């Protein structure tokens, strides 16, 4: 069970021994600390809660002060419910991963605001000729005479982005342990400074 929380820094490229360039995303990963263990007998499921980052003590809620002034709390569930869990207070850093490991990275995609159907769903819009005036980027028909309503799930204009996205099977190209940096091959969701979860 390998996991860590990280902040997205930037995209760049890293050259390997054969002078091939790999597009990478640099992540400031951890360290995180185990703050709580959840067990099936007591909580109904198995997971570990971790704390990451820090914030002003004046902004920490009273029940959290005995745990620590962490900025973010997240839970990770093990793939095997019988797997041994780390102990409360344990420190997890980039050393849990190695260069060449394949990981899944989850984050919140960039919010793009209210968008039309052409940008949001890739609709073609209306024809540019044959008497059309103002319908180049319109959605077109949204329903039939029966059942006299718009069916649920119809693709329409609306808010785009800002959703949880998981990118699977990304390769770790480089790790700099003394700086808590991980370079993951490819692009991952979110803007610079956003929080991401890395699972091995």
């Amino acid at each position: 069970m390998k996991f860590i929380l990280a902040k997205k820094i930037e995209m760049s490229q890293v050259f390997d021994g054969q002078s091939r360039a790999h597009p990478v995303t640099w992540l400031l990963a951890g360290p995180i600390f185990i703050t709580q263990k959840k067990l099936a007998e007591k909580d109904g499921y198995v997971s570990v809660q971790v704390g990451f980052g820090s914030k002003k003590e004046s902004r920490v809620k009273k029940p959290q002060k005995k745990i620590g002034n962490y900025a973010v709390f997240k839970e990770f569930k093990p793939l095997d419910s019988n797997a041994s869990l780390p102990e409360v207070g344990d420190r997890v850093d980039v050393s849990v991963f190695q260069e060449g490991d394949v990981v899944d990275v989850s984050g919140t995609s960039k919010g793009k605001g209210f968008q039309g159907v052409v940008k949001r769903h890739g609709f073609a819009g209306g024809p540019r000729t044959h008497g059309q005036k103002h319908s180049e980027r319109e959605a077109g028909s949204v329903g039939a005479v029966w059942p006299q309503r718009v069916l649920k799930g119809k693709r329409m204009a609306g808010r785009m982005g800002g959703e949880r996205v998981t990118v699977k099977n990304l390769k770790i190209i480089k790790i700099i342990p003394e700086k808590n940096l991980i370079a993951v091959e490819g692009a991952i969701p979110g803007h610079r400074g956003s929080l991401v979860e890395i699972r091995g």
Side-chain angles (χ1 to χ4, degrees):
M1 182 183 175
K2 296 180 181 179
F3 58 85
I4 202 166
L5 292 174
K7 275 188 179 178
K8 184 176 176 179
I9 300 175
E10 63 179 357
M11 285 203 71
S12 182
Q13 62 183 6
V14 171
F15 290 90
D16 62 14
Q18 283 77 42
S19 298
R20 290 176 297 193
H22 295 270
V24 298
T25 303
W26 281 103
L27 303 170
L28 181 64
I32 59 174
F33 297 88
I34 308 299
T35 56
Q36 189 180 355
K37 286 169 68 174
K38 300 207 170 180
L39 305 173
E41 307 84 55
K42 183 181 175 185
D43 304 289
Y45 65 100
V46 178
S47 76
V48 289
Q49 185 194 73
V50 300
F52 173 64
S54 61
K55 59 183 177 181
K56 289 182 181 177
E57 267 193 55
S58 59
R59 296 189 179 183
V60 179
K61 295 173 183 174
K62 278 186 181 179
Q64 290 177 359
K65 283 190 176 178
K66 50 191 172 186
I67 302 171
N69 61 331
Y70 299 110
V72 180
F73 291 92
K74 286 276 184 183
E75 281 189 18
F76 290 92
K77 289 184 178 181
L79 296 175
D80 180 12
S81 57
N82 297 320
S84 60
L85 300 176
E87 296 300 320
V88 174
D90 283 359
R91 182 180 189 267
V92 180
D93 56 25
V94 294
S95 62
V96 297
F97 295 101
Q98 293 180 346
E99 292 179 4
D101 283 356
V102 176
V103 295
D104 299 342
V105 182
S106 301
T108 304
S109 62
K110 287 182 180 179
K112 295 174 175 65
F114 195 99
Q115 300 297 332
V117 292
V118 173
K119 180 168 182 174
R120 192 179 187 210
H121 300 296
F123 283 16
R128 271 57 174 165
T129 57
H130 297 285
Q132 298 284 8
K133 282 189 178 178
H134 307 297
S135 60
E136 281 200 0
R137 297 175 71 87
E138 282 187 1
S141 173
V142 294
V145 174
W146 186 89
Q148 298 180 347
R149 60 186 172 84
V150 178
L151 295 173
K152 276 188 179 180
K154 180 69 181 174
R155 292 182 297 168
M156 303 180 84
R159 293 182 74 169
M160 183 180 176
E163 299 172 334
R164 182 179 171 85
V165 178
T166 300
V167 184
K168 295 189 173 185
N169 300 324
L170 296 178
K171 188 178 178 183
I172 294 179
I173 299 295
K174 194 167 187 180
I175 296 176
I176 306 177
E178 59 273 14
K179 295 184 179 179
N180 295 319
L181 290 173
I182 294 179
V184 178
E185 189 168 27
I188 63 170
H191 55 79
R192 290 186 182 190
S194 61
L195 185 74
V196 297
E197 302 167 19
I198 308 172
R199 292 178 175 84

